[in-house]
């Protein structure tokens, strides 16, 4: 077993740092005494970020022998799931005994969720010597949920998403920073049409439409299979049916009791508690997200339905029936994912008169300041006067109730400013909104 590990460690150390990696607008780093944890949906680019970081270390003068990289999803390492993972360090120092206790070893463990109780292993690793540790995985609970973890308080976390629109432009070599000329705006608008079709998954953006659909469906099925396997779920068909119902209803409301009844109507013998667990599993996997009503009252939150969104708008079109999802739903999903890159505190709002505001986001600010509240309506077109009046009224009521001086309506093509009694409503095209929300 030690020889197998030594061979794989040496194999990765002898690989040339990969070139041609797609640069991202997020860069992972390390802090002394902290574990860097990279999370995100499968296929979002976590491995690329690890390789970029390794390349930067090598370029900065770190010897390759000081880098320990293992992909724990490598089938050759399957046996390690049932053995003591401390064997990895034993194998490394068998190769490089002179480095034990004298030089910093940069450890990278990809797909770390493959190891049972991986937190205990990383904790021992951090305590054993001069190690900087970075782990990546696609089914890791958020650090906030890991209150009993041995790594509590010692994690620096990066959540990775599929390509943002800004990163999509970067991949095409399209300049989008600073003031834009008319030609640049037209180029960006054309690029947005492509982004709208293919979405943000890095491996998809150069495929034709048929290949794009097939790639998305493969990713969808792989993610669901990994969720089912990782959580050892005994009702796999029910999980798949639930996921398809949710993606078919992207941007719409649901109640757990309704979902349970729906699955029972398909002859699945499931409990409400199981449905709740599966919803959490979807979110931990970075696939499907749920949004509560904006309220300080736990009772009000519990009795009101939630809204569901998917990690990528184009994934929705590739795997859903399309019967219940229209362009407004997909546009709202795209706006949600842009906000989610910036903050996890996203809600919807119901005014006192029962009008809905699609999204409420609490945006991070400087330390010591109150978080900024952003109110957003999403509407493909305001050309219909009745639609325009309804959207403006809902937003202006919420602005008064929440004491927010500016609201936003994201549209397909319109840019304007609408004065209202409490402040102003800014109407902005979706491509411009996406660029403005880039963290």
């Amino acid at each position: 077993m030690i020889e197998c590990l030594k061979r794989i460690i040496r194999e990765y150390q002898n690989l040339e740092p990969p070139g041609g990696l797609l640069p991202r607008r997020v860069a992972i780093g390390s802090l002394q005494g902290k574990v860097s944890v990279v999370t995100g949906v499968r296929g979002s680019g976590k491995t690329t970020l690890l390789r970029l970081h390794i390349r930067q270390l090598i370029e900065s003068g770190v010897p390759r022998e000081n880098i320990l990289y293992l992909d724990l999803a490598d089938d050759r390492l399957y046996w390690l799931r049932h053995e003591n993972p401390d064997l990895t360090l034993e194998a490394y120092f068998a190769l490089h005994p002179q480095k034990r206790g004298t030089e910093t070893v940069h450890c990278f463990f990809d797909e770390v969720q493959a190891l049972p109780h991986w937190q205990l292993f990383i904790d021992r690793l951090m305590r054993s010597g001069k190690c900087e540790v970075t782990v990546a995985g696609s089914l890791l609970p958020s650090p906030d949920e890991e209150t009993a973890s041995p790594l509590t308080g010692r994690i620096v976390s990066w959540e990775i998403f599929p390509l943002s629109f800004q990163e999509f432009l970067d991949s095409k070599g399209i300049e989008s920073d600073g003031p834009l000329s008319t030609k640049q705006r037209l180029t960006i608008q054309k690029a947005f049409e492509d982004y709208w079709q293919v979405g943000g998954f890095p491996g998809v953006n150069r495929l034709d439409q048929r290949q794009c659909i097939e790639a998305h469906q493969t990713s969808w099925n792989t993610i669901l299979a990994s969720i089912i396997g990782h959580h050892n779920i005994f009702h796999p068909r029910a999980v798949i049916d639930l996921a398809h119902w949710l993606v078919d209803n992207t941007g719409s409301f649901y109640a757990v009791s309704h979902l349970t009844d729906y699955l029972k109507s398909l002859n699945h013998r499931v409990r409400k508690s199981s449905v709740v667990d599966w919803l959490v599993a979807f979110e931990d996997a970075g696939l499907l997200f749920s949004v509560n009503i904006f309220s300080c009252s736990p009772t009000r939150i519990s009795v009101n339905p939630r809204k569901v969104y998917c990690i990528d708008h184009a994934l929705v079109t590739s795997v859903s029936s399309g019967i219940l999802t229209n362009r407004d739903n997909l546009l709202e999903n795209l706006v949600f994912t842009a906000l989610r890159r910036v903050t996890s505190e996203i809600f919807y709002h119901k005014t006192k008169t029962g009008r809905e505001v699609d999204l409420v986001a609490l945006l991070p600010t400087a330390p010591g300041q109150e978080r900024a509240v952003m109110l957003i309506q999403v509407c493909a077109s305001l050309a219909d006067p009745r639609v325009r009046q309804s959207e403006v009224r809902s937003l202006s009521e919420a602005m008064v109730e929440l004491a927010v001086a500016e609201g936003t309506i994201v549209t397909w093509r319109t840019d304007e400013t609408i004065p209202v009694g409490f402040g102003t409503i800014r109407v902005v095209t979706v491509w411009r909104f996406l660029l403005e929300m880039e963290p």
Side-chain angles (χ1 to χ4, degrees), residues 379-406:
C379 183
S381 173
L382 296 177
D384 186 330
R386 291 172 298 180
V387 172
R388 179 185 177 92
Q389 181 183 22
S390 175
E391 300 290 346
V392 169
R393 184 173 176 183
S394 297
L395 203 51
S396 58
E397 285 185 11
M399 290 165 63
V400 172
E401 292 178 7
L402 301 177
V404 176
E406 181 177 276

Side-chain angles (χ1 to χ4, degrees), residues 39-73:
T39 64
V41 68
R42 183 183 291 268
S44 58
K46 299 182 299 298
T47 299
T48 296
L49 279 174
L50 294 189
R51 291 176 177 174
L52 283 169
H53 189 38
I54 290 171
R55 187 172 70 186
Q56 290 164 358
L57 288 174
I58 294 172
E59 291 173 348
S60 70
V62 174
R64 294 187 189 186
E65 294 78 15
N66 286 42
I67 295 174
L68 166 59
Y69 173 90
L70 286 177
D71 178 0
L72 296 170

Side-chain angles (χ1 to χ4, degrees), residues 335 339 374 376 410 428-437:
V335 170
L339 292 169
M374 192 173 194
I376 303 171
V410 180
V428 60
T429 52
V430 59
W431 66 264
R432 195 183 301 277
F433 176 83
L434 296 180
L435 294 180
E436 291 175 352
M437 289 305 302

Side-chain angles (χ1 to χ4, degrees), residues 19-276:
L21 294 174
L22 181 65
R24 300 295 298 266
R25 296 235 171 182
V26 58
I28 60 175
S30 58
L31 291 175
Q32 188 173 4
K34 302 285 187 179
V35 180
S36 297
V37 178
V38 183
T39 64
V41 68
R42 183 183 291 268
S44 58
K46 299 182 299 298
T47 299
T48 296
L49 279 174
L50 294 189
R51 291 176 177 174
L52 283 169
H53 189 38
I54 290 171
R55 187 172 70 186
Q56 290 164 358
L57 288 174
I58 294 172
E59 291 173 348
S60 70
V62 174
R64 294 187 189 186
E65 294 78 15
N66 286 42
I67 295 174
L68 166 59
Y69 173 90
L70 286 177
D71 178 0
L72 296 170
D74 189 328
D75 288 333
R76 295 174 296 174
L77 293 174
Y78 183 84
W79 59 269
L80 191 58
R81 306 177 191 194
H82 307 291
E83 298 286 343
N84 186 345
D86 292 351
L87 291 172
T88 57
L89 216 55
E90 185 178 336
Y92 172 81
F93 285 122
L95 289 170
H96 309 290
Q98 75 282 7
K99 297 186 182 295
R100 186 188 293 270
T102 62
E103 299 181 32
T104 299
V105 180
H106 301 268
C107 303
F108 294 85
F109 299 103
D110 203 358
E111 299 298 341
V112 72
Q113 77 280 352
L115 283 183
H117 312 298
W118 63 268
Q119 299 97 329
L120 293 172
F121 164 58
I122 299 299
D123 179 54
R124 291 194 300 272
L125 196 62
M126 294 291 292
R127 296 176 186 274
S128 65
K130 299 178 69 174
C131 294
E132 286 190 358
V133 181
T134 301
V135 303
S138 52
L139 290 159
L140 307 181
S142 69
D144 293 339
E145 297 172 19
E146 292 287 279
T147 54
S149 167
L151 298 176
T152 299
R154 291 189 290 147
I155 286 178
V156 181
S157 183
W158 283 268
E159 188 174 13
I160 308 304
F161 296 86
L163 299 180
S164 66
F165 181 48
Q166 182 93 66
E167 292 172 321
F168 183 83
L169 294 176
D170 292 342
S171 72
K172 302 276 187 186
I174 298 173
E175 180 61 43
S176 57
D177 294 319
L180 301 175
S181 66
T182 301
K183 182 179 179 180
Q184 285 177 309
R185 286 197 298 272
L186 293 174
T187 301
I188 291 172
Q189 288 171 11
K190 176 63 172 66
F192 174 74
E193 294 174 5
D194 295 336
Y195 184 67
W196 179 255
Q197 293 297 323
V198 303
F201 278 97
V204 175
N205 61 358
R206 298 187 185 278
L207 303 179
D208 62 35
Q209 186 176 12
R210 183 63 244 171
Q211 292 172 325
C212 178
I213 292 173
E214 291 174 354
H216 279 145
Q217 291 181 353
T218 298
S219 293
W220 172 264
N221 291 325
T222 301
I223 294 167
L224 289 181
S226 65
I227 292 171
I228 291 166
H230 181 74
H231 294 281
N232 197 24
I233 294 172
F234 293 107
H235 300 284
R237 189 68 250 173
V239 172
I240 294 170
D241 286 341
L242 175 62
H244 275 279
W245 187 96
L246 292 168
V247 80
D248 270 345
N249 289 271
T250 294
S252 299
F253 293 98
Y254 76 83
V256 173
S257 57
H258 171 77
L259 296 179
T260 307
D261 291 341
Y262 168 73
L263 292 175
K264 288 180 178 179
S265 74
L266 300 179
N267 296 318
H268 295 303
R269 301 177 66 181
V270 299
R271 298 177 178 177
K272 187 175 179 180
S273 60
S274 296
V275 175
V276 172

Side-chain angles (χ1 to χ4, degrees), residues 252-411:
S252 299
F253 293 98
Y254 76 83
V256 173
S257 57
H258 171 77
L259 296 179
T260 307
D261 291 341
Y262 168 73
L263 292 175
K264 288 180 178 179
S265 74
L266 300 179
N267 296 318
H268 295 303
R269 301 177 66 181
V270 299
R271 298 177 178 177
K272 187 175 179 180
S273 60
S274 296
V275 175
V276 172
D277 290 340
W278 299 341
L279 291 168
V280 172
F282 292 150
E283 190 142 354
D284 285 345
L287 180 62
L288 295 163
F289 301 86
S290 294
V291 167
N292 289 318
I293 193 168
F294 186 55
S295 176
C296 297
S297 166
T299 301
R300 188 170 184 231
I301 292 172
S302 65
V303 300
N304 275 278
R306 308 174 83 191
K307 295 178 78 172
V308 64
Y309 298 98
C310 184
I311 186 61
D312 186 77
H313 64 281
L315 178 63
V316 174
T317 60
S318 294
V319 302
S320 70
S321 65
I323 297 173
L324 300 174
T325 306
N326 56 35
R327 189 169 67 161
D328 279 347
N329 294 112
L330 292 176
L331 199 60
E332 185 176 330
N333 196 99
L334 179 55
V335 170
F336 168 82
T337 55
L339 292 169
R340 187 61 183 76
R341 287 182 175 90
V342 180
T343 178
S344 61
E345 295 185 279
I346 305 174
F347 312 87
Y348 71 90
H349 180 66
K350 280 287 182 71
T351 69
K352 294 176 181 178
T353 61
R355 294 182 174 275
E356 179 196 345
V357 173
D358 295 326
L359 294 163
V360 180
L362 302 184
L363 303 181
T365 56
Q369 296 182 1
E370 291 188 5
R371 289 167 297 179
V373 179
M374 192 173 194
L375 301 176
I376 303 171
Q377 289 287 74
V378 182
C379 183
S381 173
L382 296 177
D384 186 330
R386 291 172 298 180
V387 172
R388 179 185 177 92
Q389 181 183 22
S390 175
E391 300 290 346
V392 169
R393 184 173 176 183
S394 297
L395 203 51
S396 58
E397 285 185 11
M399 290 165 63
V400 172
E401 292 178 7
L402 301 177
V404 176
E406 181 177 276
T408 302
I409 301 178
V410 180
T411 68

